[in-house]
Amino acid sequence: LFDVINKHDVAKVNTIENIRWPFFLLIFSEALSLSFLPNFISHTDSTGVDLPNNVLISLPITLFMLLWTITIPFVGFLCGRFGYRKTFCVGAAIATIGLIATALSIRLFYVIVWRALTAVGYGFVYLTTQIYISAYIPKSEATRGQAIFLATFFAGSLSGAAIGGILVDRLGFEMTFLLSGVLSGVSGL
């Protein structure tokens, strides 16, 4: 009986650990920009766009949230068709491209496009992780599995935002976004 329990516990721990750290790293990497994104947007070239500054600053953020939400219904299909690992890695790759391209953007239009791409990757990773935990954690541990998911998400978000504020002060916008992209890429590996 103890062998069965131990094997079950080891499998459960491995299931959560297989995805928790890559998920944390990607959430952390994307959250690095949360504390300075409005300031970064206000420093981009918005020549030819005749909108109030507060609207310009909110455009990339609003589009990010919209595309993240729109992406979510498609991820379940992709997980079923291609598997969790591939879907997670594709999402991490998309987010990585978006973050690195954002670092290189000087015009508002490109910031909006690249942040939108980052949102799609973020949506892939977010829901893939949630579905993976739901699928592989026993029903009796479902609440615990989702608690671990949320704890990992909030730990990555909060620590990423705080550290991102420090990094941007020391490294600047571009280098912080580049670092964010590198970390996102590592999460996919």
PDB file of all heavy atoms in Angstrom, residues 47-81:
ATOM      1  N   THR A  47       3.847  59.798 -33.914  1.00  0.00           N
ATOM      2  CA  THR A  47       3.612  60.791 -34.963  1.00  0.00           C
ATOM      3  C   THR A  47       2.497  60.321 -35.893  1.00  0.00           C
ATOM      4  O   THR A  47       2.468  59.165 -36.321  1.00  0.00           O
ATOM      5  CB  THR A  47       4.905  61.009 -35.787  1.00  0.00           C
ATOM      6  OG1 THR A  47       5.965  61.328 -34.900  1.00  0.00           O
ATOM      7  CG2 THR A  47       4.723  62.115 -36.792  1.00  0.00           C
ATOM      8  N   GLY A  48       1.589  61.213 -36.197  1.00  0.00           N
ATOM      9  CA  GLY A  48       0.495  60.895 -37.109  1.00  0.00           C
ATOM     10  C   GLY A  48      -0.735  60.318 -36.434  1.00  0.00           C
ATOM     11  O   GLY A  48      -1.742  60.096 -37.078  1.00  0.00           O
ATOM     12  N   VAL A  49      -0.651  60.033 -35.145  1.00  0.00           N
ATOM     13  CA  VAL A  49      -1.804  59.509 -34.416  1.00  0.00           C
ATOM     14  C   VAL A  49      -2.383  60.656 -33.610  1.00  0.00           C
ATOM     15  O   VAL A  49      -1.734  61.195 -32.720  1.00  0.00           O
ATOM     16  CB  VAL A  49      -1.392  58.343 -33.484  1.00  0.00           C
ATOM     17  CG1 VAL A  49      -2.605  57.791 -32.767  1.00  0.00           C
ATOM     18  CG2 VAL A  49      -0.683  57.259 -34.266  1.00  0.00           C
ATOM     19  N   ASP A  50      -3.606  61.021 -33.937  1.00  0.00           N
ATOM     20  CA  ASP A  50      -4.232  62.179 -33.298  1.00  0.00           C
ATOM     21  C   ASP A  50      -5.216  61.715 -32.227  1.00  0.00           C
ATOM     22  O   ASP A  50      -6.432  61.817 -32.392  1.00  0.00           O
ATOM     23  CB  ASP A  50      -4.933  63.028 -34.355  1.00  0.00           C
ATOM     24  CG  ASP A  50      -5.366  64.375 -33.805  1.00  0.00           C
ATOM     25  OD1 ASP A  50      -4.750  64.840 -32.826  1.00  0.00           O
ATOM     26  OD2 ASP A  50      -6.330  64.946 -34.352  1.00  0.00           O
ATOM     27  N   LEU A  51      -4.669  61.168 -31.159  1.00  0.00           N
ATOM     28  CA  LEU A  51      -5.480  60.717 -30.025  1.00  0.00           C
ATOM     29  C   LEU A  51      -4.879  61.290 -28.743  1.00  0.00           C
ATOM     30  O   LEU A  51      -3.671  61.540 -28.671  1.00  0.00           O
ATOM     31  CB  LEU A  51      -5.489  59.191 -29.946  1.00  0.00           C
ATOM     32  CG  LEU A  51      -6.216  58.438 -31.060  1.00  0.00           C
ATOM     33  CD1 LEU A  51      -5.956  56.946 -30.948  1.00  0.00           C
ATOM     34  CD2 LEU A  51      -7.713  58.711 -30.998  1.00  0.00           C
ATOM     35  N   PRO A  52      -5.710  61.458 -27.720  1.00  0.00           N
ATOM     36  CA  PRO A  52      -5.176  61.937 -26.438  1.00  0.00           C
ATOM     37  C   PRO A  52      -4.126  60.954 -25.882  1.00  0.00           C
ATOM     38  O   PRO A  52      -4.182  59.746 -26.134  1.00  0.00           O
ATOM     39  CB  PRO A  52      -6.402  61.992 -25.525  1.00  0.00           C
ATOM     40  CG  PRO A  52      -7.579  61.994 -26.432  1.00  0.00           C
ATOM     41  CD  PRO A  52      -7.160  61.300 -27.685  1.00  0.00           C
ATOM     42  N   ASN A  53      -3.197  61.475 -25.137  1.00  0.00           N
ATOM     43  CA  ASN A  53      -2.085  60.672 -24.597  1.00  0.00           C
ATOM     44  C   ASN A  53      -2.572  59.488 -23.753  1.00  0.00           C
ATOM     45  O   ASN A  53      -2.037  58.392 -23.853  1.00  0.00           O
ATOM     46  CB  ASN A  53      -1.142  61.556 -23.784  1.00  0.00           C
ATOM     47  CG  ASN A  53       0.178  60.876 -23.524  1.00  0.00           C
ATOM     48  OD1 ASN A  53       0.703  60.187 -24.401  1.00  0.00           O
ATOM     49  ND2 ASN A  53       0.714  61.063 -22.336  1.00  0.00           N
ATOM     50  N   ASN A  54      -3.605  59.702 -22.930  1.00  0.00           N
ATOM     51  CA  ASN A  54      -4.089  58.594 -22.097  1.00  0.00           C
ATOM     52  C   ASN A  54      -4.690  57.467 -22.941  1.00  0.00           C
ATOM     53  O   ASN A  54      -4.607  56.302 -22.579  1.00  0.00           O
ATOM     54  CB  ASN A  54      -5.073  59.079 -21.036  1.00  0.00           C
ATOM     55  CG  ASN A  54      -6.261  59.803 -21.619  1.00  0.00           C
ATOM     56  OD1 ASN A  54      -6.280  60.172 -22.794  1.00  0.00           O
ATOM     57  ND2 ASN A  54      -7.263  60.043 -20.804  1.00  0.00           N
ATOM     58  N   VAL A  55      -5.275  57.798 -24.082  1.00  0.00           N
ATOM     59  CA  VAL A  55      -5.800  56.772 -24.985  1.00  0.00           C
ATOM     60  C   VAL A  55      -4.642  56.032 -25.650  1.00  0.00           C
ATOM     61  O   VAL A  55      -4.659  54.804 -25.768  1.00  0.00           O
ATOM     62  CB  VAL A  55      -6.748  57.380 -26.043  1.00  0.00           C
ATOM     63  CG1 VAL A  55      -7.167  56.340 -27.073  1.00  0.00           C
ATOM     64  CG2 VAL A  55      -7.960  57.994 -25.373  1.00  0.00           C
ATOM     65  N   LEU A  56      -3.622  56.775 -26.062  1.00  0.00           N
ATOM     66  CA  LEU A  56      -2.452  56.148 -26.687  1.00  0.00           C
ATOM     67  C   LEU A  56      -1.773  55.163 -25.736  1.00  0.00           C
ATOM     68  O   LEU A  56      -1.372  54.071 -26.148  1.00  0.00           O
ATOM     69  CB  LEU A  56      -1.442  57.217 -27.118  1.00  0.00           C
ATOM     70  CG  LEU A  56      -1.853  58.113 -28.273  1.00  0.00           C
ATOM     71  CD1 LEU A  56      -0.781  59.161 -28.534  1.00  0.00           C
ATOM     72  CD2 LEU A  56      -2.121  57.301 -29.516  1.00  0.00           C
ATOM     73  N   ILE A  57      -1.661  55.550 -24.494  1.00  0.00           N
ATOM     74  CA  ILE A  57      -1.013  54.682 -23.507  1.00  0.00           C
ATOM     75  C   ILE A  57      -1.850  53.436 -23.254  1.00  0.00           C
ATOM     76  O   ILE A  57      -1.311  52.345 -23.070  1.00  0.00           O
ATOM     77  CB  ILE A  57      -0.767  55.463 -22.190  1.00  0.00           C
ATOM     78  CG1 ILE A  57       0.341  56.491 -22.423  1.00  0.00           C
ATOM     79  CG2 ILE A  57      -0.403  54.530 -21.050  1.00  0.00           C
ATOM     80  CD1 ILE A  57       0.552  57.447 -21.281  1.00  0.00           C
ATOM     81  N   SER A  58      -3.163  53.578 -23.295  1.00  0.00           N
ATOM     82  CA  SER A  58      -4.011  52.427 -22.979  1.00  0.00           C
ATOM     83  C   SER A  58      -4.203  51.467 -24.156  1.00  0.00           C
ATOM     84  O   SER A  58      -4.597  50.318 -23.948  1.00  0.00           O
ATOM     85  CB  SER A  58      -5.374  52.899 -22.480  1.00  0.00           C
ATOM     86  OG  SER A  58      -6.096  53.521 -23.526  1.00  0.00           O
ATOM     87  N   LEU A  59      -3.932  51.882 -25.380  1.00  0.00           N
ATOM     88  CA  LEU A  59      -4.157  51.028 -26.546  1.00  0.00           C
ATOM     89  C   LEU A  59      -3.401  49.690 -26.477  1.00  0.00           C
ATOM     90  O   LEU A  59      -4.022  48.637 -26.619  1.00  0.00           O
ATOM     91  CB  LEU A  59      -3.794  51.771 -27.835  1.00  0.00           C
ATOM     92  CG  LEU A  59      -4.873  52.653 -28.435  1.00  0.00           C
ATOM     93  CD1 LEU A  59      -4.339  53.407 -29.646  1.00  0.00           C
ATOM     94  CD2 LEU A  59      -6.098  51.865 -28.809  1.00  0.00           C
ATOM     95  N   PRO A  60      -2.084  49.680 -26.289  1.00  0.00           N
ATOM     96  CA  PRO A  60      -1.389  48.381 -26.242  1.00  0.00           C
ATOM     97  C   PRO A  60      -1.838  47.513 -25.070  1.00  0.00           C
ATOM     98  O   PRO A  60      -1.919  46.286 -25.195  1.00  0.00           O
ATOM     99  CB  PRO A  60       0.088  48.764 -26.091  1.00  0.00           C
ATOM    100  CG  PRO A  60       0.187  50.164 -26.547  1.00  0.00           C
ATOM    101  CD  PRO A  60      -1.137  50.791 -26.243  1.00  0.00           C
ATOM    102  N   ILE A  61      -2.150  48.123 -23.958  1.00  0.00           N
ATOM    103  CA  ILE A  61      -2.574  47.370 -22.775  1.00  0.00           C
ATOM    104  C   ILE A  61      -3.960  46.761 -23.013  1.00  0.00           C
ATOM    105  O   ILE A  61      -4.199  45.587 -22.726  1.00  0.00           O
ATOM    106  CB  ILE A  61      -2.560  48.282 -21.525  1.00  0.00           C
ATOM    107  CG1 ILE A  61      -1.131  48.773 -21.257  1.00  0.00           C
ATOM    108  CG2 ILE A  61      -3.129  47.554 -20.315  1.00  0.00           C
ATOM    109  CD1 ILE A  61      -1.034  49.915 -20.270  1.00  0.00           C
ATOM    110  N   THR A  62      -4.864  47.550 -23.564  1.00  0.00           N
ATOM    111  CA  THR A  62      -6.221  47.073 -23.837  1.00  0.00           C
ATOM    112  C   THR A  62      -6.199  45.966 -24.886  1.00  0.00           C
ATOM    113  O   THR A  62      -6.865  44.937 -24.732  1.00  0.00           O
ATOM    114  CB  THR A  62      -7.109  48.238 -24.311  1.00  0.00           C
ATOM    115  OG1 THR A  62      -7.096  49.253 -23.313  1.00  0.00           O
ATOM    116  CG2 THR A  62      -8.525  47.787 -24.577  1.00  0.00           C
ATOM    117  N   LEU A  63      -5.439  46.176 -25.949  1.00  0.00           N
ATOM    118  CA  LEU A  63      -5.349  45.159 -26.993  1.00  0.00           C
ATOM    119  C   LEU A  63      -4.723  43.873 -26.455  1.00  0.00           C
ATOM    120  O   LEU A  63      -5.144  42.773 -26.821  1.00  0.00           O
ATOM    121  CB  LEU A  63      -4.551  45.688 -28.184  1.00  0.00           C
ATOM    122  CG  LEU A  63      -4.557  44.800 -29.414  1.00  0.00           C
ATOM    123  CD1 LEU A  63      -5.973  44.589 -29.934  1.00  0.00           C
ATOM    124  CD2 LEU A  63      -3.674  45.395 -30.499  1.00  0.00           C
ATOM    125  N   PHE A  64      -3.732  44.007 -25.585  1.00  0.00           N
ATOM    126  CA  PHE A  64      -3.116  42.828 -24.961  1.00  0.00           C
ATOM    127  C   PHE A  64      -4.173  42.012 -24.235  1.00  0.00           C
ATOM    128  O   PHE A  64      -4.285  40.796 -24.431  1.00  0.00           O
ATOM    129  CB  PHE A  64      -2.019  43.274 -23.980  1.00  0.00           C
ATOM    130  CG  PHE A  64      -1.283  42.127 -23.342  1.00  0.00           C
ATOM    131  CD1 PHE A  64      -0.096  41.681 -23.876  1.00  0.00           C
ATOM    132  CD2 PHE A  64      -1.767  41.500 -22.200  1.00  0.00           C
ATOM    133  CE1 PHE A  64       0.597  40.625 -23.300  1.00  0.00           C
ATOM    134  CE2 PHE A  64      -1.094  40.447 -21.614  1.00  0.00           C
ATOM    135  CZ  PHE A  64       0.104  40.011 -22.167  1.00  0.00           C
ATOM    136  N   MET A  65      -4.953  42.659 -23.391  1.00  0.00           N
ATOM    137  CA  MET A  65      -5.981  41.949 -22.621  1.00  0.00           C
ATOM    138  C   MET A  65      -7.053  41.352 -23.542  1.00  0.00           C
ATOM    139  O   MET A  65      -7.514  40.231 -23.318  1.00  0.00           O
ATOM    140  CB  MET A  65      -6.621  42.885 -21.595  1.00  0.00           C
ATOM    141  CG  MET A  65      -5.640  43.414 -20.553  1.00  0.00           C
ATOM    142  SD  MET A  65      -4.709  42.126 -19.712  1.00  0.00           S
ATOM    143  CE  MET A  65      -5.957  41.460 -18.652  1.00  0.00           C
ATOM    144  N   LEU A  66      -7.433  42.069 -24.581  1.00  0.00           N
ATOM    145  CA  LEU A  66      -8.443  41.573 -25.508  1.00  0.00           C
ATOM    146  C   LEU A  66      -7.943  40.328 -26.247  1.00  0.00           C
ATOM    147  O   LEU A  66      -8.633  39.308 -26.300  1.00  0.00           O
ATOM    148  CB  LEU A  66      -8.819  42.661 -26.510  1.00  0.00           C
ATOM    149  CG  LEU A  66      -9.807  42.243 -27.599  1.00  0.00           C
ATOM    150  CD1 LEU A  66     -11.168  41.926 -26.989  1.00  0.00           C
ATOM    151  CD2 LEU A  66      -9.925  43.336 -28.651  1.00  0.00           C
ATOM    152  N   LEU A  67      -6.743  40.386 -26.779  1.00  0.00           N
ATOM    153  CA  LEU A  67      -6.220  39.244 -27.530  1.00  0.00           C
ATOM    154  C   LEU A  67      -5.914  38.055 -26.629  1.00  0.00           C
ATOM    155  O   LEU A  67      -6.064  36.906 -27.045  1.00  0.00           O
ATOM    156  CB  LEU A  67      -4.987  39.647 -28.326  1.00  0.00           C
ATOM    157  CG  LEU A  67      -5.318  40.479 -29.554  1.00  0.00           C
ATOM    158  CD1 LEU A  67      -4.069  40.946 -30.251  1.00  0.00           C
ATOM    159  CD2 LEU A  67      -6.207  39.714 -30.511  1.00  0.00           C
ATOM    160  N   TRP A  68      -5.477  38.316 -25.426  1.00  0.00           N
ATOM    161  CA  TRP A  68      -5.253  37.235 -24.470  1.00  0.00           C
ATOM    162  C   TRP A  68      -6.574  36.493 -24.243  1.00  0.00           C
ATOM    163  O   TRP A  68      -6.631  35.273 -24.275  1.00  0.00           O
ATOM    164  CB  TRP A  68      -4.700  37.813 -23.169  1.00  0.00           C
ATOM    165  CG  TRP A  68      -4.518  36.847 -22.052  1.00  0.00           C
ATOM    166  CD1 TRP A  68      -4.108  35.551 -22.144  1.00  0.00           C
ATOM    167  CD2 TRP A  68      -4.726  37.097 -20.670  1.00  0.00           C
ATOM    168  NE1 TRP A  68      -4.038  34.979 -20.888  1.00  0.00           N
ATOM    169  CE2 TRP A  68      -4.422  35.920 -19.967  1.00  0.00           C
ATOM    170  CE3 TRP A  68      -5.135  38.200 -19.942  1.00  0.00           C
ATOM    171  CZ2 TRP A  68      -4.514  35.816 -18.589  1.00  0.00           C
ATOM    172  CZ3 TRP A  68      -5.209  38.090 -18.576  1.00  0.00           C
ATOM    173  CH2 TRP A  68      -4.900  36.912 -17.902  1.00  0.00           C
ATOM    174  N   THR A  69      -7.633  37.230 -24.064  1.00  0.00           N
ATOM    175  CA  THR A  69      -8.945  36.639 -23.828  1.00  0.00           C
ATOM    176  C   THR A  69      -9.459  35.894 -25.068  1.00  0.00           C
ATOM    177  O   THR A  69     -10.007  34.804 -24.956  1.00  0.00           O
ATOM    178  CB  THR A  69      -9.951  37.741 -23.421  1.00  0.00           C
ATOM    179  OG1 THR A  69      -9.432  38.441 -22.296  1.00  0.00           O
ATOM    180  CG2 THR A  69     -11.299  37.160 -23.084  1.00  0.00           C
ATOM    181  N   ILE A  70      -9.279  36.471 -26.240  1.00  0.00           N
ATOM    182  CA  ILE A  70      -9.740  35.840 -27.472  1.00  0.00           C
ATOM    183  C   ILE A  70      -8.962  34.555 -27.763  1.00  0.00           C
ATOM    184  O   ILE A  70      -9.514  33.595 -28.305  1.00  0.00           O
ATOM    185  CB  ILE A  70      -9.633  36.832 -28.654  1.00  0.00           C
ATOM    186  CG1 ILE A  70     -10.680  37.934 -28.491  1.00  0.00           C
ATOM    187  CG2 ILE A  70      -9.797  36.124 -29.988  1.00  0.00           C
ATOM    188  CD1 ILE A  70     -10.548  39.069 -29.476  1.00  0.00           C
ATOM    189  N   THR A  71      -7.701  34.521 -27.413  1.00  0.00           N
ATOM    190  CA  THR A  71      -6.851  33.355 -27.671  1.00  0.00           C
ATOM    191  C   THR A  71      -7.273  32.145 -26.846  1.00  0.00           C
ATOM    192  O   THR A  71      -7.191  31.004 -27.312  1.00  0.00           O
ATOM    193  CB  THR A  71      -5.379  33.705 -27.348  1.00  0.00           C
ATOM    194  OG1 THR A  71      -4.981  34.796 -28.162  1.00  0.00           O
ATOM    195  CG2 THR A  71      -4.461  32.534 -27.595  1.00  0.00           C
ATOM    196  N   ILE A  72      -7.739  32.365 -25.650  1.00  0.00           N
ATOM    197  CA  ILE A  72      -8.000  31.285 -24.701  1.00  0.00           C
ATOM    198  C   ILE A  72      -8.908  30.174 -25.234  1.00  0.00           C
ATOM    199  O   ILE A  72      -8.581  29.003 -25.070  1.00  0.00           O
ATOM    200  CB  ILE A  72      -8.491  31.875 -23.360  1.00  0.00           C
ATOM    201  CG1 ILE A  72      -7.299  32.529 -22.645  1.00  0.00           C
ATOM    202  CG2 ILE A  72      -9.140  30.831 -22.485  1.00  0.00           C
ATOM    203  CD1 ILE A  72      -7.631  33.229 -21.359  1.00  0.00           C
ATOM    204  N   PRO A  73     -10.017  30.460 -25.927  1.00  0.00           N
ATOM    205  CA  PRO A  73     -10.867  29.342 -26.383  1.00  0.00           C
ATOM    206  C   PRO A  73     -10.187  28.387 -27.374  1.00  0.00           C
ATOM    207  O   PRO A  73     -10.569  27.232 -27.479  1.00  0.00           O
ATOM    208  CB  PRO A  73     -12.053  30.043 -27.050  1.00  0.00           C
ATOM    209  CG  PRO A  73     -12.079  31.398 -26.477  1.00  0.00           C
ATOM    210  CD  PRO A  73     -10.657  31.745 -26.169  1.00  0.00           C
ATOM    211  N   PHE A  74      -9.181  28.862 -28.096  1.00  0.00           N
ATOM    212  CA  PHE A  74      -8.520  28.030 -29.097  1.00  0.00           C
ATOM    213  C   PHE A  74      -7.442  27.126 -28.515  1.00  0.00           C
ATOM    214  O   PHE A  74      -7.044  26.149 -29.149  1.00  0.00           O
ATOM    215  CB  PHE A  74      -7.913  28.918 -30.188  1.00  0.00           C
ATOM    216  CG  PHE A  74      -8.944  29.774 -30.867  1.00  0.00           C
ATOM    217  CD1 PHE A  74      -9.052  31.117 -30.553  1.00  0.00           C
ATOM    218  CD2 PHE A  74      -9.822  29.230 -31.786  1.00  0.00           C
ATOM    219  CE1 PHE A  74     -10.010  31.907 -31.158  1.00  0.00           C
ATOM    220  CE2 PHE A  74     -10.787  30.009 -32.396  1.00  0.00           C
ATOM    221  CZ  PHE A  74     -10.884  31.359 -32.083  1.00  0.00           C
ATOM    222  N   VAL A  75      -6.972  27.448 -27.340  1.00  0.00           N
ATOM    223  CA  VAL A  75      -5.853  26.707 -26.759  1.00  0.00           C
ATOM    224  C   VAL A  75      -6.242  25.278 -26.402  1.00  0.00           C
ATOM    225  O   VAL A  75      -5.444  24.356 -26.590  1.00  0.00           O
ATOM    226  CB  VAL A  75      -5.279  27.465 -25.539  1.00  0.00           C
ATOM    227  CG1 VAL A  75      -4.187  26.669 -24.871  1.00  0.00           C
ATOM    228  CG2 VAL A  75      -4.750  28.822 -25.967  1.00  0.00           C
ATOM    229  N   GLY A  76      -7.444  25.072 -25.906  1.00  0.00           N
ATOM    230  CA  GLY A  76      -7.872  23.710 -25.578  1.00  0.00           C
ATOM    231  C   GLY A  76      -7.823  22.797 -26.790  1.00  0.00           C
ATOM    232  O   GLY A  76      -7.356  21.655 -26.715  1.00  0.00           O
ATOM    233  N   PHE A  77      -8.276  23.304 -27.926  1.00  0.00           N
ATOM    234  CA  PHE A  77      -8.209  22.532 -29.169  1.00  0.00           C
ATOM    235  C   PHE A  77      -6.760  22.220 -29.528  1.00  0.00           C
ATOM    236  O   PHE A  77      -6.435  21.086 -29.898  1.00  0.00           O
ATOM    237  CB  PHE A  77      -8.883  23.314 -30.299  1.00  0.00           C
ATOM    238  CG  PHE A  77      -8.622  22.736 -31.660  1.00  0.00           C
ATOM    239  CD1 PHE A  77      -9.299  21.601 -32.079  1.00  0.00           C
ATOM    240  CD2 PHE A  77      -7.701  23.321 -32.510  1.00  0.00           C
ATOM    241  CE1 PHE A  77      -9.052  21.060 -33.332  1.00  0.00           C
ATOM    242  CE2 PHE A  77      -7.453  22.787 -33.756  1.00  0.00           C
ATOM    243  CZ  PHE A  77      -8.128  21.652 -34.173  1.00  0.00           C
ATOM    244  N   LEU A  78      -5.890  23.216 -29.422  1.00  0.00           N
ATOM    245  CA  LEU A  78      -4.488  23.011 -29.775  1.00  0.00           C
ATOM    246  C   LEU A  78      -3.804  22.016 -28.842  1.00  0.00           C
ATOM    247  O   LEU A  78      -2.992  21.195 -29.289  1.00  0.00           O
ATOM    248  CB  LEU A  78      -3.747  24.341 -29.772  1.00  0.00           C
ATOM    249  CG  LEU A  78      -4.206  25.343 -30.830  1.00  0.00           C
ATOM    250  CD1 LEU A  78      -3.549  26.692 -30.610  1.00  0.00           C
ATOM    251  CD2 LEU A  78      -3.919  24.814 -32.220  1.00  0.00           C
ATOM    252  N   CYS A  79      -4.139  22.073 -27.561  1.00  0.00           N
ATOM    253  CA  CYS A  79      -3.573  21.106 -26.600  1.00  0.00           C
ATOM    254  C   CYS A  79      -3.999  19.689 -26.956  1.00  0.00           C
ATOM    255  O   CYS A  79      -3.185  18.758 -26.904  1.00  0.00           O
ATOM    256  CB  CYS A  79      -4.010  21.438 -25.176  1.00  0.00           C
ATOM    257  SG  CYS A  79      -3.223  22.879 -24.479  1.00  0.00           S
ATOM    258  N   GLY A  80      -5.264  19.524 -27.311  1.00  0.00           N
ATOM    259  CA  GLY A  80      -5.760  18.205 -27.680  1.00  0.00           C
ATOM    260  C   GLY A  80      -5.151  17.696 -28.972  1.00  0.00           C
ATOM    261  O   GLY A  80      -4.887  16.508 -29.132  1.00  0.00           O
ATOM    262  N   ARG A  81      -4.910  18.582 -29.871  1.00  0.00           N
ATOM    263  CA  ARG A  81      -4.388  18.179 -31.188  1.00  0.00           C
ATOM    264  C   ARG A  81      -2.875  17.981 -31.197  1.00  0.00           C
ATOM    265  O   ARG A  81      -2.370  17.047 -31.810  1.00  0.00           O
ATOM    266  CB  ARG A  81      -4.778  19.211 -32.226  1.00  0.00           C
ATOM    267  CG  ARG A  81      -4.256  18.883 -33.581  1.00  0.00           C
ATOM    268  CD  ARG A  81      -5.157  19.373 -34.654  1.00  0.00           C
ATOM    269  NE  ARG A  81      -4.550  19.036 -35.920  1.00  0.00           N
ATOM    270  CZ  ARG A  81      -5.196  18.479 -36.886  1.00  0.00           C
ATOM    271  NH1 ARG A  81      -6.460  18.198 -36.745  1.00  0.00           N
ATOM    272  NH2 ARG A  81      -4.597  18.210 -38.014  1.00  0.00           N
TER     273      ARG A  81
END
